[in-house]
Amino acid sequence: MAEYSRLAKGKFTSTGQAQVVNLPFRPDYVEFINYSAAASGADNGVPKAYWDFNMGQGFAVIDRFQAANQLTMDTVDLLGITTFEAGNLTQYGAALAISTVTKAAAAVVTSVSNHGLKSGDVVIMNNLYQTAVTCMQQIAGMPFTVTVTGDTTFTIPWNTNQSAYTAYDTATSTEDAFFKKVLYPYLYFPGVNFISAITTGTTTTIDTTTAHNFVVGQEVAFRVPTQYGTVELNSLPNQTIPGSPIYGYVIAVTDYNTVIVNVDSTAYTAFDSNQSFTSFVGLSFPQIVAVGDINTGGVQISSGSALYPPPYSIPIGTTRVNTINGPAIQGAYVNNTAQGFVIGAGVAEGDASAILVGAASDVIYWRAYLHDISLP
Amino acid sequence: MNQITNTGNLGPMILQSLAPGMLYTPTASMNYITIADKVAMPAHGGTTCRFMRPRALKPPTVQLGNSGIDPPAQVPQRDVIDAQVAFFGTGCIINEQVILQDQEGVLAWVSERLAVSMRQAEDLILRDYIISAASQINAGGGSNGDNPTNFGTSDFSLVATTLDCNNAFKFVSGIEGTPKIGTGPVRSGYFMLSSTELQTDFDALTGQGFKNQWDYSNNASALITEYGSVFNIRILTSSEAPVIRGGSANGNDLYYNTVAGKQALTHVKQTGMSMKMIYRDPYYSGMLAQNCTLAIKFPQGQALTQDTAIRNLMSTRKSGFIF
């Protein structure tokens, strides 16, 4: 009786962070063995875990060591095992209240309750009013990649330590600020990105608010509104060749949100992200857009990679997240929709040191099922 | 007192008859494919569709003079755009007993629904791709104090001017005026793909630039989803147009209104494998041949082939709550 059921298994080495497993189906049951935790038998280890669809998303039942080589059972009620179907860009998480946003480069956001984010996630913030005319509505609605610094804190790549910005504190504000997670920000890439900073020079360095997913050889265009200064980068029709847009090429990828473009901007107007609060109504954001590429080859084979490596996104740092596609020309427009499950970094109800996904370097063997019959 | 129903104590028999025909299934209009150029990759032609666009050469506006020396040659250049094709599909398993016993032609209506779902997927993929790839202009002409604002007529003018400055091609020619009371001419236009939720906002701009499709001097050329026009923008609406609930600066609903000229977006298929409806007889399902399968499968790639000719005009809504 398994004609239409789906069974899958695999293994991964934990990074200590939530692990995404792509599958050609969305399982209704997941279990895994943490071989490393089982072998060591150390206190707080989670050698086995189980999740059934009927438990609800984000839960799990676990075996954990309550002392060395002494097993007990427990549950994970937040950031446990979840399934996902990433096929729609308009999916956002629930609104979570913001407690404070600091005036700093990089601004620090504190949530009222645990945010449940991991570094590399993308959020938008809204209602950033301290008074009716102060705070940071200039960046409300703009997507930001977060770097998590605590259960209730994260930073965003934007400099709010400028004269036009005022810190947010919900205790004294006139509005309730909140943020939402963009559930699947990179379903298609490369694409449009918002610019947080531009460093002019013989080459031009661009910082973006989220992962750009550009590669060396990417052809790019700019859309810089007048208020932000560096309008000379814009691709509006070239004056010397009327009608021909001006493009640049990425010549170096510094980081997940920084690229260097081969445009000599030495004489260009400086970029200004210090937009006044009162200008926020109708304010468009500066953007860099992928418009083509000059590549002809795919992702190169490296140690441990697939024989024909698929295109990948880099949501933060040097983390590569492979698409489920076959190989593609680097810089090509690719589809990154996927489904599967996530083993989260949630902790046991009875032991905050027992982490579901284990510690970095733990080897985990998983199995996932989608059953023919599930009663009731 | 509860009464237990058993074979000796049944309720009165209710006579019934199946009404002819299936009721309609509410289905969103699929506008995104409308604006897309269509390209078919050749069979066995690889996984990537490559587009090339020549760059303009510098016009020789300096006279040759009488030196007899040729000016330096120009280097012809081209821009390259690559799109990877991916495959999509879904299907249904239908027990043979259903087919044998039901009166309403199960295979027929399931086939129809699969075909529609295939077309919807095609459109939604294009929609989401445009969200991710096209640059944005926030509406600022409205009065609701948000970012973006609700529509003001200046927003339509701004986005059309932007595309005009980029030398984009409009989709449709204008419609000449005719002596019909209450109607007027319509300008040549780009298409804007908007949400049906914004129709009340468009109506509110009547008299300020918005012209309902029924006020065109001749609406024979209007598309079935065309709601109206503002200046050089002709507006197609659909309930599937993207909206981010609570996504604006002030936490209101945020709408993507895609404004495009010709060749801005290209939809890639594959020759000989564009869309397949697959029926598998119960004979193949097991020793008792109990289940048939009906499925659809299609390849699709997409690219912004003229990034200068497309913008997402972001807006919020002025009118009341939609429910």
Side-chain angles (χ1 to χ4, degrees), chain B residues 21 25 27 34 58 66 71 109 130 142 145 173 188 236 242 248 269 271 282:
Chain B
T25 304
T27 305
T34 304
K58 188 176 178 182
N66 57 8
W109 69 258
I130 292 170
S173 304
S188 58
L236 313 182
S248 77
K269 310 216 94 176
T271 303

Side-chain angles (χ1 to χ4, degrees), chain A residues 170-191:
Chain A
T170 191
T172 53
S173 71
T174 56
E175 299 277 351
D176 293 328
F178 61 90
F179 70 91
K180 291 179 176 179
K181 180 181 173 183
V182 184
L183 294 186
Y184 309 114
Y186 308 118
L187 294 189
Y188 301 87
F189 63 81

